[in-house]
Amino acid sequence: MTFLTYLISGLALGSVYAIIALGYTMVYGIAKMLNFAHGDIIMAGGYVAFYAFSKFGLPSYLCIILSIAVSTIIGVIIERLAYKPLRQASSLSVLITAIGVSYFLQNAAQLMFGSDTKIFPAMLTEGSLKMFNGQLTISYLTIITIVTCIIIMVGLTAFINKTKIGKAMRACAEDKGAAQLMGINVDTTISVTFAIGSGLAAIAAVLLCSTYPSLSPTLGSMPGIKAFTAAVFGGIGSIPGALLGGMLLGVIENLTKAYISTQLSDAIVFTVLIIVLLIKPTGLLGKKENVKV
Amino acid sequence: MLKVNDLVVRYGVIEAIKGISFEVNDGEIVTLIGANGAGKTTTMHTISGLLRPYSGNVELDGIDISKVPAHKIVEMGVAQCPERRRIFASQSVEDNLLLGAYTRKDKEEIEKDLANVYKLFPRLEERNKQLGGTLSGGEQQMLAMGRALMSKPKIMLLDEPSMGLSPLLVKEIFSIIKEINDNGTSILLVEQNAKMALSIAKRAYVIETGRIVMSGTGEELLNSEDIRKAYLGG
Ligand SMILES: Nc1ncnc2c1ncn2[C@@H]1O[C@H](COP(=O)(O)OP(=O)(O)OP(=O)(O)O)[C@@H](O)[C@H]1O
Ligand SMILES: [Mg+2]
């Protein structure tokens, strides 16, 4: 039964990674860049939710909506100001800029909110579900996290495959020039991508901070790197890949923590990643780059 | 309809187009022929707004479009069927066609035009659920042309539609180009297959390393000694 508990909490952690990984993978797929600052959007989303709930006493659902809205706006502004002028630049310049944006956000947060760790309130739910005569306990938060992840995956897949703007996003991912010849505004499409990724980061922030309730300006770095790893693990650019990568990463991390070593868990996670990439360089579900831009 | 004035286009410091002027009048088929690297695709990309002129401009019905964003140029009635087709490989044939109508909102008219494209290219209808990337070269050419048509263009730019096709299919594609033109769309056709291009074009320009070196009616150029030597293989 304890194994099952670890497995399920691993899936919940993996769900958070998967939701964050979507942001990396969609931006990479469409803008062909690594948005290193994505993790820091999580941090921003966390602070917005925290202040909305603790200081202004807004109801949870409003806190979440506000957090999504602010994160989305920050994500779109960052793209417009920092990345758009570099559309023609080398990917190294873009990466360095993204790292700069990441430091900027962390320092701005330190300036505005202080560097002390704040305790994130239980704004979603408390309590848990007991099964098998109390042998298996799953918190409602765990259930909410996993269900949210599934809803997002299904919704996003439908959006990408069925809606006009979703199809335009896929067209841009394949061939920006050809997309422009269809009359697609590539800049708008990239903004939409950043908006979606950043909005999802805010959802991940609320789930993550509710599970590990401490809030600090560097909060986003570690989950950001893990989720990026998950995206690469699953095959960067692929939405199902983000789900698979995130889930596997979460489960592996939790099980190694439980049965091998807490200190070594990150090392083990990254070792698994390196092995997978040696065997399959495009990640588990990644396609070969058939269209080079 | 379309007028190119003293156009100069550069890639960095390299001047690919060195001041060319030509025009396509309403309802015409005009062809631009030239060898590899002459600057044909560069010209097409500049008209569509994927590249910007260093100097000179492009006019559509008297309006300077050389600073208009590429997606707006499509909306203004210029469609391009690009070199190597550039089909969206991971989307279905029908989705590729509908992406061609991306700028349009008239749902019913789009349905009608889709039916017309299928009438023009029955093969596309048979394969409408197939992924674009799995089509044969000839089918991809049809899809690229159908996709360009779906924007309901006033003028269609075709960049080497005969590339890599069998002689029989080339004939078929050219007769369809003629049919599209008969239905009222002006055509700017870039070709290395000079013979075919000159035989359907009303007027033609010859481009050599970024300059226009000769122009005339299709027939004149077809009978010209120089052209015969340089482009028609004797
Ligand atoms: N992205 C680029 N960067 C630098 N030079 C380029 C670029 N694209 C094209 N060129 C150069 O510009 C010139 C014209 O190229 P363009 O593609 O327009 O020729 P083309 O007439 O279409 O040739 P083809 O018949 O082979 O398609 C060539 O010398 C080419 O090397
Ligand atoms: Mg060319």
Side-chain angles (χ1 to χ4, degrees):
Chain A
M1 276 307 160
T2 49
F3 175 78
L4 206 56
T5 314
Y6 289 128
L7 184 68
I8 292 170
S9 61
L11 286 175
L13 180 62
S15 299
V16 174
Y17 289 157
I19 297 170
I20 305 168
L22 282 175
Y24 283 106
T25 229
M26 287 175 63
V27 164
Y28 181 83
I30 288 157
K32 307 287 178 231
M33 68 162 287
L34 275 180
N35 180 15
F36 214 79
H38 188 58
D40 303 296
I41 304 280
I42 303 170
M43 177 271 296
Y47 275 100
V48 173
F50 170 81
Y51 278 102
F53 192 83
S54 302
K55 298 282 182 275
F56 297 101
L58 297 180
S60 308
Y61 74 94
L62 271 184
C63 297
I64 295 168
I65 291 173
L66 200 65
S67 170
I68 293 174
V70 173
S71 301
T72 303
I73 292 168
I74 294 175
V76 172
I77 291 177
I78 288 173
E79 195 278 321
R80 281 281 141 133
L81 293 185
Y83 304 148
K84 191 181 164 201
L86 299 177
R87 240 0 99 65
Q88 312 297 333
S90 74
S91 49
L92 190 62
S93 321
V94 182
L95 183 65
I96 292 168
T97 305
I99 293 172
V101 170
S102 168
Y103 278 116
F104 171 78
L105 290 177
Q106 288 181 17
N107 285 292
Q110 220 169 73
L111 205 64
M112 284 191 288
F113 313 123
S115 52
D116 59 310
T117 302
K118 297 185 165 51
I119 305 301
F120 197 83
M123 65 168 66
L124 290 178
T125 133
E126 282 165 302
S128 49
L129 192 66
K130 290 193 175 43
M131 286 187 286
F132 308 112
N133 302 321
Q135 286 190 57
L136 180 65
T137 318
I138 309 170
S139 73
Y140 289 126
L141 182 62
T142 302
I143 298 171
I144 290 177
T145 305
I146 296 172
V147 170
T148 306
C149 175
I150 293 169
I151 293 172
I152 287 173
M153 286 295 162
V154 172
L156 197 63
T157 306
F159 175 78
I160 290 282
N161 290 313
K162 300 274 181 260
T163 66
K164 194 171 165 181
I165 176 84
K167 288 173 186 173
M169 285 167 75
R170 286 167 59 213
C172 285
E174 251 190 70
D175 184 340
K176 284 195 192 57
Q180 281 176 292
L181 292 179
M182 301 300 104
I184 294 168
N185 184 343
V186 171
D187 288 333
T188 307
T189 312
I190 291 177
S191 290
V192 171
T193 310
F194 271 84
I196 294 174
S198 306
L200 293 178
I203 297 176
V206 173
L207 295 169
L208 187 73
C209 293
S210 300
T211 314
Y212 305 99
S214 62
L215 198 61
S216 72
T218 53
L219 151 86
S221 326
M222 208 51 198
I225 289 177
K226 295 266 183 64
F228 168 62
T229 309
V232 175
F233 194 36
I236 193 143
S238 153
I239 290 177
L243 177 66
L244 184 66
M247 289 296 185
L248 281 175
L249 205 74
V251 169
I252 295 171
E253 183 180 328
N254 239 23
L255 292 183
T256 46
K257 266 189 187 143
Y259 293 107
I260 302 176
S261 151
T262 324
Q263 278 89 24
L264 279 182
S265 80
D266 286 348
I268 292 171
V269 166
F270 286 108
T271 308
V272 172
L273 169 83
I274 291 168
I275 293 170
V276 167
L277 290 185
L278 282 176
I279 299 168
K280 199 166 180 301
T282 52
L284 294 171
L285 301 182
K287 319 183 263 268
K288 262 192 264 147
E289 280 275 297
N290 44 5
V291 246
K292 274 276 174 210
V293 189
Chain B
M1 147 140 304
L2 185 78
K3 206 155 174 269
V4 171
N5 304 309
D6 299 319
L7 189 69
V8 176
V9 186
R10 291 184 167 188
Y11 293 105
V13 291
I14 303 165
E15 206 162 88
I17 302 294
K18 301 168 178 151
I20 64 171
S21 301
F22 64 89
E23 61 186 315
V24 182
N25 298 317
D26 259 333
E28 276 185 332
I29 299 184
V30 169
T31 185
L32 208 55
I33 57 174
N36 288 113
K40 305 179 298 290
T41 301
T42 305
T43 306
M44 296 295 236
H45 280 3
T46 311
I47 296 172
S48 281
L50 296 182
L51 292 171
R52 295 295 165 197
Y54 177 77
S55 65
N57 72 356
V58 179
E59 276 176 33
L60 181 71
D61 294 328
I63 300 165
D64 183 357
I65 58 166
S66 52
K67 288 187 184 62
V68 177
H71 63 273
K72 285 267 161 58
I73 292 178
V74 179
E75 220 173 320
M76 292 170 82
V78 181
Q80 183 177 162
C81 176
E83 186 178 45
R84 274 183 278 279
R85 291 118 205 189
R86 295 168 77 168
I87 294 303
F88 299 112
S90 68
Q91 305 207 36
S92 72
V93 167
E94 188 145 315
D95 281 347
N96 267 279
L97 290 173
L98 291 174
L99 278 168
Y102 190 79
T103 55
R104 297 173 54 187
K105 302 205 165 47
D106 44 345
K107 269 215 158 88
E108 279 158 35
E109 289 296 306
I110 292 174
E111 283 300 318
K112 262 188 224 158
D113 287 337
L114 188 64
N116 283 336
V117 167
Y118 283 148
K119 217 187 292 161
L120 211 52
F121 304 105
R123 283 256 250 182
L124 295 183
E125 184 162 30
E126 287 163 28
R127 298 172 180 274
N128 66 353
K129 295 281 174 290
Q130 198 173 320
L131 292 186
T134 63
L135 295 181
S136 74
E139 288 159 356
Q140 290 197 5
Q141 182 57 44
M142 297 176 191
L143 180 54
M145 286 169 65
R147 192 177 66 172
L149 272 178
M150 287 300 291
S151 70
K152 223 175 189 176
K154 290 190 235 172
I155 179 163
M156 189 155 145
L157 316 180
L158 288 151
D159 197 343
E160 300 204 33
S162 74
M163 190 195 278
L165 304 185
S166 71
L168 203 67
L169 204 53
V170 172
K171 265 208 176 118
E172 192 181 326
I173 293 289
F174 272 79
S175 84
I176 290 171
I177 294 173
K178 197 112 191 50
E179 197 174 332
I180 293 171
N181 179 246
D182 288 339
N183 292 337
T185 309
S186 309
I187 306 263
L188 176 60
L189 172 66
V190 154
E191 263 299 342
Q192 289 204 41
N193 188 336
K195 198 171 174 185
M196 280 306 268
L198 291 173
S199 65
I200 67 164
K202 174 139 183 269
R203 291 183 309 109
Y205 296 86
V206 181
I207 180 167
E208 247 171 46
T209 55
R211 285 183 222 282
I212 286 178
V213 292
M214 204 187 292
S215 64
T217 66
E219 213 178 326
E220 275 165 18
L221 293 202
L222 207 50
N223 296 322
S224 139
E225 197 58 35
D226 293 346
I227 296 292
R228 204 175 292 170
K229 275 200 193 116
Y231 299 101
L232 303 174

